[in-house]
Amino acid sequence: MATRFDPFQEFDRLFAQVVSAERASTTMPMDLYRSGDHYVLHVDLPGADPGTIDVNVEDRTLTIRAQRTPHTEQDVQWLAKERPVGTYARQLAVSRGLALDAISATYADGVLTLSIPVAEEAKPRRIEVQHAGDTAQITSEAGTGS
């Protein structure tokens, strides 16, 4: 029985394995939803060192970075090495209706959670119209503090 050997098939398989590991190391699955007057962002960062997590806002761009370092055991023969290592990074463009200076962040069980409040000026307001006279009074239900 003859077997056909294709040297490029093995090379292609190895290349696909490397590329998929690199792609996996840079992805950050996330969920985003609105709850009342806050947006909540959950970002999966499994195995990330909490000391390497960096969240910052510049202009209207929210950037999240984290590092997952490889385990460097001595004298081991790897049989499978599929867990991605390296730097995770994600940037999100955010709208003007958010209070970016009031973002809070927590990291627990491999999940980074950001709570981003809606800015006071972006909250819905109710305008009350007075029927007596020719003056209109504006009131706000958003609690602007005035």
Side-chain angles (χ1 to χ4, degrees):
M1 178 164 97
T3 23
R4 183 177 171 154
F5 175 70
D6 183 1
F8 295 105
Q9 182 179 13
E10 183 64 14
F11 177 75
D12 192 38
R13 184 188 67 78
L14 290 172
F15 180 74
Q17 203 172 25
V18 169
V19 170
S20 67
E22 286 177 6
R23 193 174 331 124
S25 68
T26 59
T27 60
M28 283 185 191
M30 71 173 206
D31 291 334
L32 174 64
Y33 58 90
R34 184 171 178 166
S35 176
D37 62 352
H38 282 75
Y39 286 90
V40 179
L41 176 68
H42 296 289
V43 181
D44 286 349
L45 296 172
D49 178 15
T52 66
I53 298 173
D54 179 43
V55 179
N56 66 59
V57 178
E58 185 175 333
D59 193 20
R60 295 319 231 169
T61 303
L62 173 69
T63 303
I64 303 167
R65 279 191 170 72
Q67 180 76 26
R68 184 173 180 182
T69 56
H71 294 281
T72 56
E73 288 87 17
Q74 297 294 329
D75 300 326
V76 297
Q77 179 183 6
W78 289 99
L79 302 176
K81 191 171 182 178
E82 300 175 349
R83 298 173 59 221
V85 295
T87 300
Y88 295 85
R90 185 141 191 190
Q91 289 187 321
L92 302 167
V94 293
S95 70
R96 297 208 179 273
L98 300 176
L100 299 179
D101 56 341
I103 295 174
S104 64
T106 58
Y107 180 66
D109 300 326
V111 178
L112 174 67
T113 300
L114 301 179
S115 179
I116 309 167
V118 174
E120 287 296 323
E121 63 270 8
K123 291 181 181 177
R125 294 174 297 281
R126 183 174 174 273
I127 300 172
E128 185 177 317
V129 179
Q130 300 290 330
H131 295 286
D134 58 356
T135 62
Q137 181 181 1
I138 300 174
T139 61
S140 173
E141 291 182 355
T144 58
S146 53

